Amino acid sequence: MHSGFQKPTRIRLTFISMEKNKATETEISIEEKLRALYGLQLVDSEIDKIRTLRGELPLEVQDLEDEVAGLETRIGNLREEIAGLDKAVAKKGLDISDSQALIKKYQEQQDNVRNNREYDSLSKEIEFQTLEIELCNKKIKEFTYQLEEKKVVMEESEKILAERTVDLDIKKKELDDIVADTRKEEETLGEKSVTIEAIIEERLLTAYKRIRSNARNGLAVVTIKRDACGGCFNQIPPQRQLDIKSRKKIIVCEYCGRILVDDDIISEVLDNEGKA
Ligand SMILES: [Zn+2]
């Protein structure tokens, strides 16, 4: 009859009874919802564990990358500014040579003047060129001072860049190692999480996510431990515990708002996981 047709084994959504699911395709029972939610919680908590393992590393790497990029830009700008100042100093040097040549020419002309007026006129030119040289020397002094300053800043920046680059390499390697170790696992868990989410109704899933994001330990679904909520440890009255056990409706802790499930669900979800 079933000529060698094999059941697909790709998705292991075993805590949801597939047979029951077929019977009520659109709406799964409260009990199944609770199992699905608890299953989702287990998977998400595993993902949380992996992320905790990575800790602040991704952020630290990002910060270092930003800092290194900033330093590189800064050093690039400084290099350009230094080159510009070098050029300006050279230019002023050429201007001085030009002025000196002119002075020499004017002084030679003074030896051959025909009258005082011509001599005085050349004297004025010489005076002007002398002032030009003074001005150039002043500028060269200014530029050289700026150059020294910028070179100090650049050296400092290069030193910091070298240090940060080493830090970045180390942190990156650390992160890469952790990511490599856990990538496969995280992917598998991520797929599982998405698959479970797909069978939980939107409204309930939104509530789950909201509770989870508000809870410091990421727990939205908890069991009863020693007559108390496993999330906030407040006592749960016996009648309420019975209601939870009956799995007839979704009950949240009146203190912390987490969804409460009975202890038996743990083994049901985990057993089914193991069997699959
Ligand atoms: Zn609670």
Side-chain angles (χ1 to χ4, degrees):
M1 294 273 255
H2 303 282
S3 53
F5 178 75
Q6 278 188 323
K7 223 169 90 183
T9 51
R10 52 199 165 83
I11 303 165
R12 309 191 328 184
L13 256 185
T14 43
F15 43 85
I16 299 291
S17 154
M18 288 302 175
E19 274 165 48
K20 270 188 204 164
N21 215 11
K22 227 180 274 170
T24 53
E25 287 243 24
T26 46
E27 183 66 357
I28 62 171
S29 72
I30 299 283
E31 189 170 11
E32 284 164 334
K33 279 181 195 172
L34 287 168
R35 282 205 206 104
L37 280 170
Y38 190 69
L40 182 61
Q41 179 67 70
L42 290 180
V43 171
D44 286 345
S45 289
E46 282 302 310
I47 296 173
D48 288 348
K49 255 191 234 164
I50 291 172
R51 300 214 167 129
T52 306
L53 191 68
R54 275 177 213 160
E56 299 286 306
L57 266 178
L59 219 69
E60 283 172 32
V61 167
Q62 182 63 57
D63 283 351
L64 280 168
E65 276 172 348
D66 290 348
E67 202 182 346
V68 164
L71 282 164
E72 278 168 349
T73 307
R74 191 181 185 196
I75 290 166
N77 290 340
L78 281 165
R79 197 165 284 142
E80 265 176 40
E81 284 165 28
I82 287 169
L85 284 166
D86 275 335
K87 232 186 207 170
V89 169
K91 172 77 171 65
K92 291 294 166 197
L94 287 177
D95 289 351
I96 289 173
S97 300
D98 288 348
S99 292
Q100 283 169 339
L102 282 173
I103 290 170
K104 203 174 165 228
K105 194 181 93 184
Y106 296 146
Q107 281 169 342
E108 278 165 10
Q109 284 174 354
Q110 271 180 334
D111 291 341
N112 302 306
V113 290
R114 283 162 294 179
N115 51 48
N116 276 345
R117 203 172 50 83
E118 269 181 30
Y119 188 89
D120 288 345
S121 162
L122 284 166
S123 289
K124 280 221 166 68
E125 288 297 332
I126 290 168
E127 200 183 326
F128 177 75
Q129 291 305 326
T130 309
L131 283 172
E132 280 290 293
I133 291 171
E134 263 177 49
L135 209 68
C136 283
N137 276 325
K138 211 176 139 201
K139 282 282 167 199
I140 287 174
K141 225 174 169 180
E142 265 176 44
F143 292 157
T144 309
Y145 180 73
Q146 286 176 26
L147 263 171
E148 292 313 314
E149 269 189 332
K150 288 197 191 295
K151 277 179 184 165
V152 169
V153 176
M154 190 160 105
E155 264 170 44
E156 278 170 5
S157 301
E158 276 173 337
K159 214 176 119 201
I160 298 170
L161 176 63
E163 286 170 8
R164 294 295 181 275
T165 306
V166 171
D167 288 348
L168 178 60
D169 286 348
I170 293 169
K171 294 271 179 207
K172 240 185 179 166
K173 172 105 184 39
E174 247 176 88
L175 182 60
D176 285 349
D177 285 350
I178 295 175
V179 170
D181 282 351
T182 50
R183 183 186 289 129
K184 188 90 193 61
E185 196 187 346
E186 195 185 13
E187 274 172 15
T188 311
L189 288 165
E191 283 162 18
K192 241 182 195 174
S193 180
V194 169
T195 313
I196 303 173
E197 281 182 5
I199 55 166
I200 300 171
E201 66 197 79
E202 191 76 33
R203 194 181 51 82
L204 195 55
L205 188 62
T206 307
Y208 165 85
K209 285 184 175 168
R210 181 175 43 76
I211 301 167
R212 213 171 103 73
S213 66
N214 289 335
R216 207 168 299 158
N217 51 11
L219 291 179
V221 185
V222 292
T223 55
I224 301 162
K225 279 183 189 132
R226 272 180 245 111
D227 299 323
C229 163
C232 69
F233 309 110
N234 276 298
Q235 286 293 310
I236 298 164
Q239 181 54 49
R240 209 166 165 75
Q241 288 189 44
L242 285 175
D243 291 343
I244 292 159
K245 248 187 167 35
S246 74
R247 302 181 187 175
K248 290 278 183 286
K249 57 180 182 175
I250 289 160
I251 294 172
V252 297
C253 170
E254 55 183 328
Y255 300 99
C256 68
R258 288 182 175 93
I259 298 161
L260 289 161
V261 292
D262 60 272
D263 261 355
D264 293 339
I265 274 190
I266 307 175
S267 53
E268 288 166 27
V269 173
L270 289 177
D271 274 2
N272 283 327
E273 273 287 287
K275 268 183 231 154

